Amino acid sequence: MQSQEHEGGYKPFVTTARLSKDGKEYERLSKCVVDFELTHENKGFEGMAYVKNSKGAFLLGLCEGNFCEGGRRGRKSGNGRIIILQLDTDDNGCRWVKKDVLNIPKEANFIDYSAMAIDYNLGRIAILSQENAAFWVADFDIESLDFVGTGSIVHLPRNEHCEIVYCNAEGIQWIDAYRVIVVSDRAKATQPYHCDEHDQSVHIFGLPGAASKASPAIDWE
């Protein structure tokens, strides 16, 4: 997923590729524009999920900013959005068409949204925030493409001064019903020194009991 200037504005593009058997090379199969205009060049989709149900195949695009916007409005927490897309092809090429906008429940009270992962077997979703150093876990209905219940917030560990130390959490994926893997980006020069310890790393976290049942906010002990 990338964004670039298109028809006078900025739109995301989705590239589909096939990996070689050894995983060292890939073949690009298609590059299709997403029929969704971005308000800011650097605030697009931060997470993607491919979902199939009885209605077809869909891409879910997680907007980085609240209301799918940048600037001050994009930092108004608790207004996250997921764009539901479906592929359309004709003689002119391919295009991912917006089918619906899914409002993330306000219980996921985040300043930004950096990644998401769907557990297809258990029907659950995890949505990560870099700014809040936390992720939200909820039940997710694959057939209706909608959330079930209010879910739970899980805060990544803080230091002895209650400061955020996982400052650049950019990726999340389920390992099993009780564990997730979180990936950290490189710390910025403008960030506090304690952000360096866990940057550019892969972390495995076990879910607290209530979060594993996707049920009010939970802090790590």
Side-chain angles (χ1 to χ4, degrees):
M1 169 66 69
Q2 63 185 47
S3 64
Q4 63 186 62
E5 194 167 4
H6 182 76
E7 297 177 351
Y10 286 95
K11 291 188 175 182
F13 281 77
V14 175
T15 298
T16 304
R18 179 189 291 121
L19 280 173
S20 61
K21 290 184 178 180
D22 59 11
K24 295 181 179 180
E25 298 179 351
Y26 69 91
E27 174 191 2
R28 193 173 82 173
L29 303 178
S30 65
K31 182 179 179 181
C32 308
V33 67
V34 176
D35 192 19
F36 183 78
E37 190 158 342
L38 305 174
T39 63
H40 292 68
E41 180 184 359
N42 64 337
K43 293 293 180 183
F45 294 148
E46 280 288 283
M48 299 293 296
Y50 182 76
V51 176
K52 291 184 73 175
N53 58 25
S54 65
K55 301 171 187 175
F58 300 87
L59 270 184
L60 308 185
L62 174 69
C63 293
E64 179 179 2
N66 287 281
F67 303 104
C68 282
E69 296 183 16
R72 181 178 297 179
R73 180 171 162 82
R75 294 179 62 82
K76 189 175 180 181
S77 59
N79 296 282
R81 301 288 187 267
I82 292 174
I83 309 302
I84 299 175
L85 307 164
Q86 195 165 35
L87 186 63
D88 180 56
T89 58
D90 55 29
D91 293 339
N92 296 319
C94 58
R95 178 180 298 265
W96 286 95
V97 179
K98 182 179 75 172
K99 292 296 182 180
D100 203 357
V101 178
L102 184 59
N103 294 341
I104 300 172
K106 291 185 178 296
E107 284 76 12
N109 192 36
F110 295 151
I111 298 172
D112 75 339
Y113 308 84
S114 59
M116 68 176 170
I118 296 176
D119 182 327
Y120 298 95
N121 295 321
L122 295 178
R124 292 193 303 172
I125 190 169
I127 297 178
L128 179 68
S129 170
Q130 176 181 324
E131 294 258 7
N132 294 93
F135 59 95
W136 177 75
V137 177
D139 293 327
F140 189 77
D141 190 322
I142 301 295
E143 186 61 30
S144 65
L145 297 180
D146 204 355
F147 304 105
V148 179
T150 58
S152 302
I153 291 179
V154 180
H155 298 282
L156 300 182
R158 272 48 170 173
N159 64 16
E160 63 272 20
H161 304 294
C162 292
E163 296 171 314
I164 290 174
V165 292
Y166 292 86
C167 309
N168 299 279
E170 287 277 5
I172 190 168
Q173 189 55 263
W174 292 96
I175 297 176
D176 53 33
Y178 305 101
R179 295 178 298 168
V180 296
I181 187 167
V182 173
V183 179
S184 292
D185 200 354
R186 182 177 182 180
K188 303 176 181 65
T190 55
Q191 290 180 309
Y193 72 91
H194 53 254
C195 291
D196 295 346
E197 181 179 356
H198 300 294
D199 76 339
Q200 300 184 100
S201 306
V202 176
H203 322 280
I204 295 175
F205 297 112
L207 272 66
S212 67
K213 299 176 184 178
S215 74
I218 298 166
D219 287 303
W220 290 89
E221 295 182 355

